[in-house]
């Protein structure tokens, strides 16, 4: 098992379809990374919920999950459940985020998610950010789409407790959801912890990792 630590983290990009997904899937990672890199620039784009209570919740939640960061949050008002019918506007929004700077790390939905909206966004990300490290988060919900992840971030118990507490504090509109409770969040974190020899963890799918063993120098020996 190989441990990787980012050498530099100046900017993160957070992408989600619905308000609360980023915090559920990567809340622990955000708490850890923002505290380890004070002043990191964090840009977040959420495609639905704009102009509603959900937007207010999302702005307050991401501020809490990104302590000490320079945070910018954009929440659009695309129709929930019909993102495929607004593909052009969604794609433009993602491209606009890319035009604002070059992120060192991206958090986005997983391409294996069976929710059509999330999968639509997940498919857009590599078409805009072709050479970027992307962590695709996982969410427990109605669909049975959890698969084997490839990257794990161990979480200390106080961090997991803080994550769960902040989720309940800031997403009051979601408390009646059957999957929105501490047992669900803690249960998945415990399973992912077992899989990486930790007590708790968040896990992510990473589409592509390039290993740079040494700087590339000289010409191609095949062509010489």
């Amino acid at each position: 098992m190989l441990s990787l630590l980012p050498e530099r983290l100046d900017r993160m990009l957070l992408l989600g379809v619905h308000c609360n997904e980023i915090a559920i899937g990567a809340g622990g990672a955000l708490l850890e990374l923002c505290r380890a890199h004070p002043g990191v620039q964090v840009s977040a784009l959420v495609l639905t919920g704009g102009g509603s209570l959900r937007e207010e919740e999302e702005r307050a939640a991401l501020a809490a999950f990104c302590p000490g960061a320079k945070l910018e949050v954009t929440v659009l008002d695309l129709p929930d459940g019909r993102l495929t019918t607004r593909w052009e506007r969604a794609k433009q929004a993602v491209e606009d985020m890319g035009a604002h700077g070059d992120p060192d790390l991206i958090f986005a939905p997983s391409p294996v998610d069976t929710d059509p909206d999330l999968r639509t966004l997940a498919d857009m990300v590599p078409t805009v950010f072709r050479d970027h490290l992307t962590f695709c988060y996982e969410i427990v919900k109605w669909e049975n789409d959890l698969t084997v992840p490839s990257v794990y971030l161990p979480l200390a118990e106080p961090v997991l407790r803080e994550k769960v507490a902040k989720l309940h504090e800031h997403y009051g509109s979601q408390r009646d959801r059957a999957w929105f409770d501490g047992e669900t969040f803690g249960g998945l974190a415990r399973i992912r912890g077992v899989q990486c020899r930790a007590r708790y963890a968040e896990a992510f799918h990473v589409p592509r990792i390039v290993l740079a063993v040494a700087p590339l120098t000289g010409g191609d020996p095949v062509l010489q």
Side-chain angles (χ1 to χ4, degrees):
M1 185 160 46
L2 179 65
S3 296
L4 301 175
L5 294 175
E7 294 183 2
R8 57 186 293 270
L9 189 61
D10 297 326
R11 185 180 179 217
M12 289 192 291
L13 176 60
L14 317 178
L15 300 173
V17 174
H18 309 102
C19 298
N20 75 21
E21 290 167 350
I22 296 169
I24 291 175
L30 293 178
L31 288 169
E32 294 279 61
L33 290 171
C34 289
R35 286 171 175 154
H37 301 271
V40 61
Q41 177 71 46
V42 179
S43 299
L45 170 65
V46 182
L47 298 180
T48 67
S52 70
L53 171 62
R54 300 296 304 279
E55 178 178 356
E56 296 177 14
E57 291 180 336
E58 185 75 336
R59 291 184 178 278
L62 291 181
F65 276 101
C66 299
K70 299 174 183 176
L71 178 65
E72 296 180 358
V73 180
T74 301
V75 183
L76 302 184
D77 60 354
L78 295 176
D80 184 9
R82 295 185 296 278
L83 188 59
T84 55
T85 67
R86 303 294 192 277
W87 187 92
E88 184 173 348
R89 186 181 173 199
K91 179 67 177 301
Q92 185 63 58
V94 176
E95 291 178 345
D96 290 344
M97 297 300 290
H100 289 164
D102 198 27
D104 302 305
L105 178 60
I106 300 172
F107 287 98
S110 170
V112 301
D113 199 299
T114 58
D115 182 290
D117 284 354
L118 272 70
R119 193 168 61 251
T120 296
L121 176 56
D123 290 341
M124 290 179 185
V125 174
T127 70
V128 178
F129 301 96
R130 297 182 181 275
D131 302 309
H132 297 75
L133 179 60
T134 302
F135 285 0
C136 301
Y137 50 77
E138 57 180 2
I139 303 172
V140 176
K141 51 188 183 306
W142 301 108
E143 296 83 4
N144 185 21
D145 55 7
L146 292 180
T147 59
V148 179
S150 51
V151 171
Y152 297 81
L153 177 67
L155 298 177
E157 183 173 347
V159 177
L160 175 64
R161 291 186 180 277
E162 181 181 5
K163 172 184 174 177
V164 174
K166 289 183 184 301
L167 289 172
H168 283 287
E169 175 185 356
H170 293 289
Y171 294 110
S173 67
Q174 302 300 292
R175 292 175 189 153
D176 61 342
R177 306 282 185 174
W179 47 267
F180 194 93
D181 60 37
E183 288 184 287
T184 301
F185 305 138
L188 179 60
R190 180 68 185 107
I191 291 172
R192 296 315 188 202
V194 169
Q195 293 171 339
C196 68
R197 300 184 183 277
R199 185 64 184 174
Y200 301 105
E202 286 179 342
F204 307 91
H205 298 271
V206 177
R208 183 182 299 108
I209 294 179
V210 177
L211 296 178
V213 178
L216 297 177
T217 59
D220 188 337
V222 177
L223 301 179
Q224 294 178 352

